[in-house]
Amino acid sequence: MKRMKTPRWLRRAFAAVVVSLCAVSAHSAPESSSGTSSTGSGAKPHSKPTTQTTLDQALNQLKSDTPITVSEGTTASAIRGSTAAPAPGSSQPFGVIVPRGSLSTDSENPGGEKDPAFIPHRLVLPAGGAARRVLPAGKLYLKDLPNAREIATRAASRLGQQSINIALLGQHKYMIADCLGVKVSVGQFNLQLGSPSISIVDEGVVARYTINRASFSAFKLRFRPDVTDLAQPCHFSGRVELGGSADNLVIELRYNPIIDVEKCRVGEPVHIYMHIDIGSIHLNPLPPGVSGLENAFKDMIIDAINDSLYYAQMIFGGTDPVPLILNQVVQTLDDVLEADCPTKNSNAGAGVSSTATSLASGATSATPPARRAAPPLQPANNGPSAPGLSAPPGPASTFVIVTNTDLKGRLGRMVIAFPGKLKVSDTRIDITKAGSDPKIKTGFGSFTTELMPGNYDVMINGLKVAGVVVESHADTRVCVGVLHLNATEKTRFDLFTPASKSPVKTVYGEATLGLPSGNVDLEVSGQRESLVIADGKVTEY
């Protein structure tokens, strides 16, 4: 006998009933006898995770104590590591970084379908409230500079112009109830913070960024219940591709680094704390009948932001890793402090007193001395005189120009695309007009930007590519490669331009660095070796 197809209206009605039952289950979950409140009174303290860990390690630390139900809420006033699991979709207070999702194996997928494996990486989470120290002469906390608001505003505005790649945590599930939740297969988005508002508080500087709308595309998620399975729906579905947006996304950064007023730069980064709040989030198209997952979506985005912005990086001249977002804050502060440094390129003996007086008084230099530009790695290949395709890149090529008929008007594009699937979001790129100092574009990892026709200098992880030409109606592809360093976390690598004495970058342990194609020197344990970074290739070391 021919099998009858289930009518669409019946499938939708069944899905709605399943989702409704799941939602009821979430709200009726029994409360813990501990009686956790929003202030944390009565909550069982949890062991603090180490300050350098992964979200999953921190999650396991929490799971080692009394299980948390969704009705218990969050102890918003607790410090990181001494808090219950936050209520689904709740905002993240300063210093409270608790994983909201949990790992889910492929066995929970229909037929054991494979998702890209989640690879944990090192994070640097903020330590609990460090007490202010009495600083020696020539050192000041940022907030104690009389012109702190001006410096912080300029630096935070530069940070807001950068595009940061945020990756969802693959193989992580975010549950509202046993049979209501979402699981990440793969997804990422670009986050641009925009213009900040700055306030000075007792703890330091607070930079508040309000993003009216952050757009998403090509998220691949799985949903529970699986509304296509009428017999046993309480498992994750096949992958569903969605897009959407988050509205009124607020990210606040609080920091108070120690400034070396003699060198006009950050002397000690200290810590950075982050508050995250998402007004609303909408993803579509959802499977028919699936709803009630907005809080799970919020948790998914908050976890991704934490995992990306607290990603461990080595800071130039530092000995310990810092979070990616703190590294960027320090670099933008250094740029602002250096531009207005009253004693830059002066006698070292001029010393602390005059510099401290100038910075502390809010004085700035009317004409800051120009910084000496590093020599280019290779001569630029400016291509033919007429717009169009340049000669094929040879050993001395630093960029290639290709006509792009889709571009209208006078603008051209600069394209910087690193090869392979290795993470290169810790690769900083600064673009300036040729022979000029002020940065007009800053990005991290692969990115594309539209520019006026002209000549530009491009700095990639401290290595300069000089004289890059941008033409109207054309793409200028900068020739780049990747250096993948393989070593234990205590092994130090120093990167130099050929024949130079000072390193342009220092990293520890395994690292992935985007670099211009050409020759670089690498020093390990006092031994120096020349390497060739090939265009479009990953160099293993």
Side-chain angles (χ1 to χ4, degrees):
M1 184 173 65
K2 185 177 180 180
R3 184 178 180 182
M4 294 183 63
K5 183 177 181 181
T6 307
R8 178 178 293 181
W9 68 267
L10 182 57
R11 295 200 307 270
R12 286 179 178 270
F14 176 79
V17 170
V18 171
V19 172
S20 298
L21 290 174
C22 290
V24 170
S25 173
H27 290 296
S28 62
E31 293 191 3
S32 166
S33 60
S34 63
T36 305
S37 69
S38 61
T39 60
S41 58
K44 182 178 180 180
H46 298 272
S47 302
K48 291 185 179 181
T50 60
T51 57
Q52 296 169 355
T53 182
T54 67
L55 287 177
D56 290 304
Q57 288 171 337
L59 178 69
N60 291 333
Q61 184 73 41
L62 291 174
K63 285 185 174 179
S64 65
D65 287 321
T66 306
I68 303 299
T69 67
V70 296
S71 61
E72 287 187 61
T74 179
T75 52
S77 61
I79 63 170
R80 176 192 55 78
S82 299
T83 178
S90 60
S91 64
Q92 173 179 291
F94 280 121
V96 183
I97 302 175
V98 179
R100 293 157 185 254
S102 58
L103 271 175
S104 169
T105 64
D106 291 335
S107 63
E108 294 193 74
N109 299 341
E113 288 179 1
K114 298 291 185 182
D115 283 321
F118 172 73
I119 302 175
H121 50 250
R122 191 177 186 183
L123 303 181
V124 183
L125 303 181
R132 282 171 57 95
R133 310 197 306 263
V134 177
L135 301 179
K139 302 290 178 65
L140 290 172
Y141 281 103
L142 174 61
K143 75 173 290 288
D144 294 332
L145 296 174
N147 56 337
R149 183 184 296 275
E150 177 194 350
I151 292 172
T153 299
R154 291 166 58 191
S157 296
R158 291 189 180 202
L159 177 64
Q161 296 171 8
Q162 299 172 7
S163 180
I164 305 171
N165 181 260
I166 306 293
L168 302 183
L169 273 62
Q171 293 188 308
H172 278 63
K173 61 183 178 181
Y174 298 85
M175 305 303 297
I176 302 300
D178 285 343
C179 196
L180 182 61
V182 63
K183 177 179 177 179
V184 176
S185 176
V186 67
Q188 61 181 352
F189 61 97
N190 288 323
L191 184 66
Q192 188 162 4
L193 297 175
S195 299
S197 62
I198 299 295
S199 58
I200 307 295
V201 298
D202 290 343
E203 296 84 0
V205 172
V206 176
R208 178 185 175 91
Y209 298 90
T210 301
I211 304 165
N212 293 330
R213 172 160 293 184
S215 297
F216 313 128
S217 64
F219 284 4
K220 293 183 179 178
L221 309 177
R222 302 179 184 273
F223 293 92
R224 185 189 292 179
D226 181 358
V227 298
T228 65
D229 187 343
L230 300 183
Q232 294 181 327
C234 200
H235 60 80
F236 284 111
S237 67
R239 298 204 303 184
V240 178
E241 184 167 330
L242 306 93
S245 63
D247 295 337
N248 297 319
L249 170 59
V250 175
I251 296 179
E252 289 185 315
L253 306 175
R254 191 179 74 206
Y255 46 90
N256 196 25
I258 296 172
I259 306 301
D260 186 327
V261 294
E262 179 181 6
K263 298 179 179 177
C264 296
R265 62 186 298 111
V266 174
E268 185 179 335
V270 195
H271 300 295
I272 190 165
Y273 302 89
M274 185 161 57
H275 161 78
I276 307 173
D277 186 43
I278 301 175
S280 62
I281 186 169
H282 307 280
L283 296 179
N284 55 78
L286 293 174
V290 171
S291 62
L293 288 174
E294 183 177 13
N295 287 337
F297 294 151
K298 288 182 179 180
D299 289 347
M300 177 180 74
I301 297 300
I302 290 174
D303 264 7
I305 292 174
N306 279 325
D307 190 72
S308 296
L309 297 192
Y310 281 106
Y311 179 78
Q313 286 190 322
M314 290 305 302
I315 199 167
F316 180 75
T319 57
D320 296 312
V322 299
L324 178 148
I325 187 63
L326 181 55
N327 191 4
Q328 295 181 22
V329 166
V330 168
Q331 291 187 44
T332 54
L333 281 170
D334 281 349
D335 288 344
V336 171
L337 291 168
E338 187 176 23
D340 287 338
C341 183
T343 58
K344 189 69 177 174
N345 291 335
S346 67
N347 251 339
V352 173
S353 59
S354 62
T355 312
T357 301
S358 300
L359 277 178
S361 67
T364 60
S365 170
T367 55
R371 285 173 279 181
R372 182 173 60 85
L377 282 176
Q378 299 170 328
N381 173 16
N382 295 336
S385 56
L389 180 65
S390 75
S397 298
T398 55
F399 62 91
V400 175
I401 301 175
V402 181
T403 298
N404 184 341
T405 56
D406 292 333
L407 293 177
K408 309 300 181 184
R410 294 191 60 233
L411 298 182
R413 294 199 314 175
M414 184 179 294
V415 179
I416 302 174
F418 294 98
K421 297 182 179 180
L422 299 173
K423 185 179 181 70
V424 292
S425 60
D426 56 344
T427 294
R428 173 171 172 147
I429 301 167
D430 293 307
I431 301 175
T432 67
K433 291 290 290 182
S436 181
D437 215 23
K439 300 175 181 64
I440 58 176
K441 291 282 185 179
T442 295
F444 288 81
S446 298
F447 84 114
T448 300
T449 184
E450 292 185 343
L451 297 167
M452 294 286 290
N455 294 349
Y456 296 88
D457 292 341
V458 181
M459 187 78 76
I460 303 175
N461 264 338
L463 300 175
K464 177 176 279 190
V465 184
V468 177
V469 177
V470 172
E471 298 177 350
S472 296
H473 314 129
D475 287 344
T476 298
R477 182 182 68 81
V478 180
C479 298
V480 294
V482 165
L483 175 61
H484 183 204
L485 301 173
N486 297 274
T488 59
E489 63 180 17
K490 294 185 178 180
T491 301
R492 171 172 172 159
F493 294 95
D494 290 308
L495 194 68
F496 299 79
T497 56
S500 66
K501 296 182 178 180
S502 299
V504 296
K505 193 173 185 69
T506 298
V507 296
Y508 286 79
E510 183 177 6
T512 303
L513 304 177
L515 298 172
S517 62
N519 299 320
V520 296
D521 285 0
L522 187 67
E523 185 172 287
V524 186
S525 301
Q527 296 179 309
R528 191 157 167 171
E529 181 179 352
S530 293
L531 302 176
V532 177
I533 305 301
D535 180 31
K537 304 292 184 183
V538 177
T539 300
E540 297 286 346
Y541 188 90

